[in-house]
């Protein structure tokens, strides 16, 4: 009598299954973390904004790293950087293995790319993003030993359809068929690099539309994975850190992704060990509760960049949650005086 005990979910009905997922599956992350972390990427983008178009990508990156790091130190998490800015040295940075946050709160793995597209930002070009992703502790693959991954990203239609064991042309044909589109309408994004010379030829020969991107395969991967973008596929060799970050986003978007670690120099044409393991998004980042958060630095297909208007600085961010399967956009106005340049 008088008890207000709430019946625990049994996992038997659809509602119970949803409640379990919303609660973060088996390991709870806490939902307010998303809003905390978005402030971290907003701070990074605001700090880097004065460097847009300035030609100095290291200065832009350093500004973003400092701001991201400073904000993270105030967040109630027991975070461990799995994907960071490399090994520890004298400079303050987000090095792999560093513990971040107040130490109070959920134990999480963290991947950061304070700016994906540092060269884009320095050149004043579109699609530079400030990015962070978190998931439960010990769920992210530590891929730091391998600089590059061979990647393919599509939306959910690619599941069981595309495979890195197939040729790019076969993957394009198979995806076009699965999406009931003519191959000629399929848009395929690939980093514009000498190592992709034969890949680019093959995509073009297949008849698909080839989108050469100068940098930024995180944004390209997200665009390939989401429904409301014209990009159908992102393919080719890009950074390993960006692969882990993209996996967090793909999990939330219900997209499909495969990678193979590519243990060679950027300009090697072929991975020698073509029989090596194929990883899917759920292998790169395990569990059901990854969060992916990005703030636009320069304007792009995915997000507006930082805009200064009088006394305010406007930012636009993306918050993707794999626990809830939600993609949110957040527009924020920040008082300029809080962010002295
Ligand atoms: O420029 P490379 O060596 O081909 O590496 C490709 C990687 O570089 C980027 O284009 C830019 O990354 P950064 O701005 O973080 O350096 C990534 O998006 C991509 O994964
Ligand atoms: Mn990057």
């Amino acid at each position: 009598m008088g008890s207000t005990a709430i019946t625990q979910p049994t996992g038997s009905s659809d509602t119970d299954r949803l409640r379990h997922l919303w609660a973060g599956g088996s390991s709870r992350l806490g939902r307010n973390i998303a809003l905390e972390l978005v402030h971290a990427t907003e701070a990074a983008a605001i700090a880097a904004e004065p460097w847009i178009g300035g030609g100095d990508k290291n200065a832009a990156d350093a500004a973003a790293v400092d701001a991201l790091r400073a904000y993270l130190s105030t967040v109630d998490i027991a975070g461990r950087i799995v994907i960071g800015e490399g090994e520890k040295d004298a400079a303050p940075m987000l090095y792999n293995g560093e513990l971040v946050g107040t130490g109070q709160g959920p134990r999480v793995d963290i991947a950061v790319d304070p700016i994906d597209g540092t060269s884009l930002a320095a050149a004043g070009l579109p699609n530079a993003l400030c990015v962070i992703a978190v998931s439960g502790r010990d769920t992210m693959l530590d891929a730091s030993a391998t600089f590059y991954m061979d990647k393919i990203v599509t939306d959910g239609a690619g599941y069981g359809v595309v495979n890195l064991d197939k040729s790019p042309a076969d993957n394009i044909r198979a995806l076009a068929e699965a999406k009931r589109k003519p191959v000629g309408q399929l848009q395929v994004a690939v980093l514009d690099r000498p190592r992709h010379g034969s890949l680019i030829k093959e995509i073009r020969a297949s008849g698909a539309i080839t989108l050469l991107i100068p940098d930024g395969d995180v944004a390209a991967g997200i665009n390939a994975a989401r429904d409301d973008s014209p990009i159908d596929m992102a393919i080719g060799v890009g950074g390993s850190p960006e692969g882990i970050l993209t996996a967090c986003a793909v999990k939330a978007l219900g997209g499909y992704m495969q990678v193979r670690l590519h243990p060679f120099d950027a300009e090697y044409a072929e991975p020698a060990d073509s029989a090596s393991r194929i990883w899917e998004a759920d292998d790169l980042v395990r569990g059901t509760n990854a969060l992916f958060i990005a703030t636009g630095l320069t304007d792009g297909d995915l997000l507006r960049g930082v805009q200064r208007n009088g006394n305010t600085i406007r930012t636009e961010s993306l918050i993707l949650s794999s626990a809830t399967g939600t993609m949110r956009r957040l527009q924020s106005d920040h008082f300029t005086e809080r962010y002295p340049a």
Side-chain angles (χ1 to χ4, degrees):
M1 289 290 283
S3 161
T4 53
I6 295 167
T7 315
Q8 290 303 309
T10 59
S12 54
S13 72
D14 281 353
T15 314
D16 288 342
R17 191 179 54 76
L18 277 178
R19 280 177 61 183
H20 180 69
L21 279 173
W22 288 340
S26 45
S27 55
R28 192 178 168 88
L29 262 192
R31 279 176 293 230
N32 293 337
I33 281 196
L35 216 49
E36 284 281 35
L37 295 175
V38 80
H39 208 137
T41 54
E42 287 172 350
I46 291 169
E49 183 271 345
W51 301 97
I52 292 174
D56 186 347
K57 68 177 201 164
N58 292 331
D61 199 44
V65 170
D66 284 353
L68 193 60
R69 193 169 191 282
Y71 195 86
L72 277 181
S73 71
T74 70
V75 178
D76 281 337
I77 46 172
R80 184 187 60 148
I81 302 284
V82 176
I83 302 291
E85 295 278 295
E87 302 304 316
K88 183 174 170 48
D89 65 14
M93 58 192 292
L94 295 157
Y95 60 87
N96 299 347
E98 183 179 357
L99 298 176
V100 296
T102 61
Q104 314 289 313
R107 297 176 72 246
V108 292
D109 279 354
I110 302 184
V112 293
D113 198 346
I115 303 179
D116 191 43
T118 46
S119 304
L120 298 174
L125 289 171
N127 287 315
L129 306 175
C130 300
V131 188
I132 191 167
V134 301
S135 62
R137 184 64 73 79
D138 298 321
T139 57
M140 278 184 196
L141 177 71
D142 176 1
S144 54
T146 316
F147 291 142
Y148 291 95
M149 288 176 179
D150 205 359
K151 314 174 190 178
I152 186 165
V153 187
T154 67
D155 69 8
Y159 178 80
V161 170
V162 300
N163 195 305
L164 284 176
D165 280 336
K166 291 185 192 171
S167 71
D170 283 348
N171 279 325
I172 287 168
R173 273 191 292 273
L175 186 66
E177 203 179 307
K179 294 182 109 171
R180 299 203 170 82
K181 271 188 180 184
V183 169
Q185 283 175 20
L186 218 68
Q187 298 199 13
V188 180
V190 57
L191 279 167
D192 189 7
R193 295 288 184 279
R195 64 173 175 270
H196 289 151
S198 60
L199 172 62
I200 291 165
K201 272 192 199 136
E202 188 173 342
I203 300 167
R204 287 185 175 145
S206 77
I209 300 161
T210 313
L211 307 171
L212 295 182
I213 53 171
D215 265 300
D217 71 350
V218 174
I222 293 173
N223 280 327
R226 72 193 173 106
D227 287 333
D228 60 340
S229 148
I231 298 182
D232 297 287
M233 180 187 286
I235 191 168
V237 175
S240 286
E242 288 83 357
I244 302 292
L245 286 159
T246 305
C248 292
V250 165
K251 282 165 75 82
L253 292 167
Y256 188 65
M257 173 179 189
Q258 286 188 350
V259 311
R260 205 183 253 132
L261 301 180
H262 188 87
F264 297 108
D265 238 24
E267 299 310 329
Y268 266 69
E270 295 292 334
D273 180 11
S274 56
S276 72
R277 169 169 182 182
I278 288 176
W279 304 72
E280 297 184 337
D282 286 339
D283 308 319
L284 297 173
V285 182
R286 296 184 305 278
T288 53
N289 59 3
L291 284 171
F292 172 97
I293 288 150
T295 299
L297 175 55
T298 57
D299 283 347
D301 309 325
L302 199 55
L303 290 167
R304 286 294 310 270
V306 176
Q307 304 152 65
R308 287 184 185 264
N309 313 298
N311 289 328
T312 55
I313 306 170
R314 178 166 291 177
T315 55
E316 199 192 5
S317 303
L318 201 63
I319 303 173
L320 301 174
S321 160
S322 72
T324 56
T326 316
M327 164 159 156
R328 288 178 210 282
R329 278 169 195 284
L330 182 73
Q331 181 181 289
S332 312
D333 287 332
H334 313 259
F335 282 119
T336 309
E337 63 187 35
R338 300 282 180 93
Y339 296 88

